[in-house]
């Protein structure tokens, strides 16, 4: 069942992200706050942690390439970042307590790292000129808050979906 469920969820999240992106920027008190939904990478991190790294790497590469082609026109950026984040998640999750709270905190930490890496890359190639303070207050913190709310709502659903669909998980050693 999970063989069909994971690609369907990835596809739905891939198409839902830009829809939620339409709500951004938010104007609160005269200031604009940009919220970037990162539903797919958060799902891929949970897929890495609670199901299998190999599947997460494949879907990360595939949907990262789709993201590059359809949304940013810089081929290779997201198709590198998505699998790299999944690899880091697999490595780090072996070293920390393996529960839903630590997976959620790990996912938010990796999201923070990914957003900062994207900002630095765009700053390097000249696609943004926003100072670091502006980036922190108008994009990074609102993005992290919104995505943490998202994980709070659906993180346990992701975990239970992957754990219950894998009856052989207890027989395998490690995350692979």
């Amino acid at each position: 069942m999970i063989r069909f469920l994971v690609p369907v969820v990835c596809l739905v999240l891939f198409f839902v992200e830009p829809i939620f992106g339409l709500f951004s920027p938010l104007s609160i008190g005269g200031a604009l706050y940009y919220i970037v939904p990162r539903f797919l990478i958060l799902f891929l991190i949970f897929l890495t942690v609670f199901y299998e790294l190999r599947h997460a790497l494949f879907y990360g590469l595939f949907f990262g390439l789709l993201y590059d082609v359809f949304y940013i026109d810089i081929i290779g950026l997201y198709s590198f970042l998505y699998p790299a984040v999944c690899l880091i998640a697999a490595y780090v999750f072996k070293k920390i307590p393996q529960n839903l709270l630590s997976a959620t905190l790990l996912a938010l930490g990796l999201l923070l790292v990914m957003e900062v890496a994207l900002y630095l890359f765009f700053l390097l190639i000249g696609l943004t000129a926003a100072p670091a303070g502006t980036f922190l207050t108008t994009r990074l913190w609102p993005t992290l808050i919104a995505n943490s709310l998202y994980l709070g709502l659906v993180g346990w659903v992701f975990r239970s979906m992957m754990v219950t669909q894998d009856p052989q998980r207890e027989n395998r050693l490690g995350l692979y």
Side-chain angles (χ1 to χ4, degrees):
M1 177 71 178
I2 198 162
R3 181 181 311 161
F4 303 110
L5 191 59
V6 169
V8 168
V9 170
C10 285
L11 195 61
V12 166
L13 292 175
F14 179 76
F15 286 118
V16 166
E17 275 184 7
I19 294 170
F20 276 89
L22 294 174
F23 296 115
S24 181
L26 294 174
S27 177
I28 300 174
L32 292 177
Y33 296 99
Y34 296 90
I35 297 173
V36 182
R38 298 288 185 194
F39 304 150
L40 182 59
I41 189 63
L42 294 174
F43 177 74
L44 291 175
I45 292 169
F46 271 64
L47 185 67
T48 301
V49 166
F50 292 114
Y51 188 64
E52 191 170 336
L53 175 64
R54 185 175 41 148
H55 285 90
L57 290 174
F58 172 75
Y59 291 120
L61 182 64
F62 179 75
F63 283 102
L65 185 61
L66 281 178
Y67 200 95
D68 288 337
V69 169
F70 287 111
Y71 297 128
I72 67 165
D73 296 331
I74 300 174
I75 305 299
L77 182 61
Y78 283 89
S79 56
F80 169 76
L81 278 177
Y82 279 7
V85 166
C86 291
L87 281 172
I88 295 168
Y91 177 76
V92 171
F93 199 68
K94 285 194 264 185
K95 310 265 186 231
I96 61 175
Q98 298 180 356
N99 56 40
L100 181 61
L101 179 64
S102 60
T104 302
L105 294 175
L106 173 67
L108 291 174
L110 288 173
L111 182 65
L112 181 129
V113 168
M114 188 175 114
E115 287 294 325
V116 169
L118 286 170
Y119 168 71
L120 292 175
F121 179 77
F122 289 143
L123 191 65
L124 179 70
I125 65 172
L127 283 180
T128 187
T134 303
F135 166 72
L136 286 172
T137 58
T138 62
R139 179 172 169 176
L140 184 63
W141 297 126
T143 296
L144 285 176
I145 291 169
N147 284 295
S148 66
L149 291 174
Y150 165 75
L151 268 184
L153 292 173
V154 298
W156 62 274
V157 173
F158 290 162
R159 181 191 173 279
S160 63
M161 176 182 76
M162 290 171 211
V163 170
T164 59
Q165 294 296 323
D166 189 11
Q168 299 297 322
R169 179 155 176 83
E170 291 82 24
N171 299 334
R172 289 193 308 236
L173 295 174
L175 291 174
Y176 312 108

